[in-house]
Amino acid sequence: MADIDSEARERTGRRDQAVRAAVEQGLLGPDAAVAGLLDVTGIRESAAGLRAAFDAVTAPGTPVLHAFAVKATPLVPVVRLLHEAGLGAEVASPGELALARAAGVPPDRTVLDSPAKTPAELREALALGIAVNADNPQELDRLDALVRSVPARSPLGLRVNPQIGAGTIGATSTATPTSKFGVALRDEGARDWVVRAYAERPWLTRLHAHTGSQGIPLPLLAQGVAEVYALAQEINAAVGRRQVDTIDIGGGLPVDVASEATAPTYAAYAGMLADRVPGLFDGRYGLVTEFGRSLLARHGTVVARVEYAKSAGGRRIAVTHAGVQVAARTVYVPGTWPLRIAAYDAEGRPKTGPEVVQDVAGPACFSGDLLAEGRALPLLEPGDYVAALDTGAYGFAHHYAYNSLARPGIYGYAPDRAGGMAFAVVREPQTLAEVVAESGGAHASALTTLNASESR
Ligand SMILES: *Cc1c(COP(=O)(O)O)cnc(C)c1O
């Protein structure tokens, strides 16, 4: 990490201090063997960086809504923190909408994008005044019916897929020719259909595309935005007025998981967009963004205690309490979702010493439950801690209940005035009683008594 930037250096310093303090304060220990930590300072910095980057390129007075993609880190206190930092919320399910509302995000700062919205969800969104992007012609038909019965307060748009290609990770790419999202713009007749759909619906005022996510390089992201802008121009020219008044460019800025460097930055992306799509920023269009990963990934760390350190077939293995339940993507598709691992000693201090190639295993009962395989790290011993970095988005907040492993506690940290580290509970650790309850505990005899009740 030769040319690490100062923001990254400070972030690393806060993280090391937080691990140490979490051990000292008992948030981590023999009876709390895994926890998620969130860097409140870092999250605020990212939100401010996002706003500043787009402020720098948009004409004064342009309406801009940065809607945080709640799926990246579905935690109410995180959504509230970002709301207070001036961001809105992009939601894609009834659950995410409920989280955004619980966090206090008002309807006019909320965008609903899910690909499978029911009529009831659409009706609720329109009643609340939440912005909705329709995914396909059938959904547009449903909106037609709703708009006829109640005049919509909601800004309404259509999601398109510019079909510009996959980048390096097919499973999370949304702009392949056959992606399930939006109207596939390069399919035969699709473009004309879109233009007609707007001409027939004067209330359709937004255009949306999200070209993501991790694995898409900046120029490809920018190309997706350029295509959406060109389509908005085409629609407005065809209808002879500025009907499309807002362009939603989605999120998708990748995070470099191979290093700590703060790159690519929002400033680099906004600068590239301003360069390639200048008309987007000249004040004629309002702007919506939907970043998730780039706002949160760096600022989350899952820390787990090493329970045992063993050896098999000549390979050293640290058996820890973090595995598939907190890092499902990495465990199932390790080549695509590698994680950087940091080693700490039993007091929570960065571990030093000669590096040894070892596996970092999780607690689940299948052999692929590894956070890292064949990784060179200071030799891990029982009582040490391992930290999986960049897990603040699509990471430990996305619990996977394999082996009925309990959801770990999540704590936010920020430096206090005395030079120490203060913590706040973001989510309590799940209790065993809660594990039983959500596993049908209230219905223990439901199956053994089924025949009896049937024959009654
Ligand atoms: C997932 C998603 C986002 C956020 O993507 P990131 O890569 O986390 O920035 C934004 N918009 C939509 C529609 C999404 O599905």
Side-chain angles (χ1 to χ4, degrees):
M1 278 186 231
D3 60 345
I4 193 167
D5 52 284
S6 63
E7 197 176 313
R9 200 171 315 113
E10 283 170 24
R11 181 167 58 234
T12 307
R14 284 194 302 272
R15 183 170 66 221
D16 287 349
Q17 203 189 337
V19 173
R20 181 85 206 268
V23 173
E24 279 172 359
Q25 297 180 30
L27 299 178
L28 282 162
D31 299 321
V34 55
L37 304 180
L38 286 168
D39 178 5
V40 174
T41 313
I43 297 170
R44 284 204 174 104
E45 274 175 9
S46 286
L50 168 60
R51 294 182 63 191
F54 280 85
D55 282 352
V57 297
T58 41
T62 306
V64 180
L65 172 65
H66 296 295
F68 169 58
V70 172
K71 92 170 172 274
T73 311
L75 295 166
V76 173
V78 168
V79 180
R80 168 73 64 94
L81 176 66
L82 291 171
H83 169 50
E84 294 208 342
L87 275 57
E90 186 268 350
V91 299
S93 72
E96 288 180 5
L97 175 56
L99 299 191
R101 295 181 76 182
V105 182
D108 65 359
R109 300 188 62 75
T110 304
V111 179
L112 176 65
D113 276 343
S114 33
K117 310 173 197 81
T118 65
E121 286 168 45
L122 289 169
R123 203 174 309 118
E124 188 197 10
L126 264 57
L128 290 167
I130 288 170
V132 175
N133 289 312
D135 181 81
N136 58 63
Q138 292 162 15
E139 192 164 283
L140 218 43
D141 289 345
R142 289 182 177 180
L143 287 180
D144 280 337
L146 285 169
V147 168
R148 245 177 271 128
S149 61
V150 217
R153 286 182 297 139
S154 299
L156 300 172
L158 179 69
R159 178 170 183 172
V160 295
N161 168 12
Q163 292 170 299
I164 52 170
T168 58
I169 306 179
T172 53
S173 173
T174 53
T176 57
T178 58
S179 163
K180 74 175 179 187
F181 298 107
V183 175
L185 214 47
R186 293 186 187 180
D187 283 12
E188 188 161 354
R191 211 175 170 94
D192 291 343
W193 177 84
V194 169
V195 174
R196 239 179 308 123
Y198 276 79
E200 290 162 1
R201 295 172 181 82
W203 42 266
L204 211 48
T205 57
R206 290 190 171 186
L207 192 60
H208 172 226
H210 162 66
T211 307
S213 170
Q214 190 73 347
I216 302 273
L218 285 199
L220 198 56
L221 274 182
Q223 190 194 333
V225 174
E227 305 231 355
V228 175
Y229 171 77
L231 179 60
Q233 291 284 90
E234 187 179 329
I235 292 167
N236 287 350
V239 300
R241 67 186 185 100
R242 205 179 303 155
Q243 179 177 331
V244 176
D245 61 15
T246 300
I247 298 181
D248 182 339
I249 65 170
L253 193 72
V255 170
D256 176 7
V257 293
S259 94
E260 186 70 42
T262 311
T265 60
Y266 289 119
Y269 183 40
M272 181 181 286
L273 289 177
D275 191 41
R276 300 193 179 190
V277 203
L280 181 59
F281 301 104
D282 64 13
R284 285 174 301 141
Y285 291 101
L287 204 63
V288 177
T289 75
E290 305 171 343
F291 294 101
R293 180 190 310 281
S294 52
L295 281 163
L296 256 298
R298 278 277 191 251
H299 308 307
T301 307
V302 63
V303 187
R305 200 159 181 273
V306 178
E307 196 64 51
Y308 300 109
K310 55 200 280 191
S311 169
R315 175 69 59 85
R316 307 294 310 221
I317 305 166
V319 179
T320 81
H321 288 274
V324 75
Q325 89 276 33
V326 287
R329 280 183 172 173
T330 296
V331 168
Y332 286 125
V333 199
T336 303
W337 302 104
L339 286 174
R340 287 183 300 138
I341 304 289
Y344 296 89
D345 68 16
E347 270 77 56
R349 291 172 303 213
K351 184 141 190 173
T352 52
E355 295 197 329
V356 177
V357 170
Q358 51 200 307
D359 289 356
V360 180
C365 296
F366 68 103
S367 54
D369 187 33
L370 302 172
L371 285 186
E373 194 172 4
R375 193 68 61 86
L377 292 167
L379 185 63
L380 291 162
E381 297 162 296
D384 287 348
Y385 292 91
V386 293
L389 311 185
D390 305 329
T391 48
Y394 308 105
F396 56 76
H398 295 60
H399 190 80
Y400 176 55
Y402 199 94
N403 273 147
S404 299
L405 288 161
R407 283 190 283 272
I410 298 178
Y411 308 95
Y413 62 87
D416 64 22
R417 281 176 221 286
M421 206 45 100
F423 290 96
V425 175
V426 170
R427 188 184 73 191
E428 300 277 0
Q430 191 180 28
T431 65
L432 294 183
E434 287 165 345
V435 171
V436 171
E438 75 170 26
S439 306
H443 309 284
S445 55
L447 302 180
T448 49
T449 56
L450 183 59
N451 287 338
S453 59
E454 220 172 39
S455 62
R456 254 208 308 268

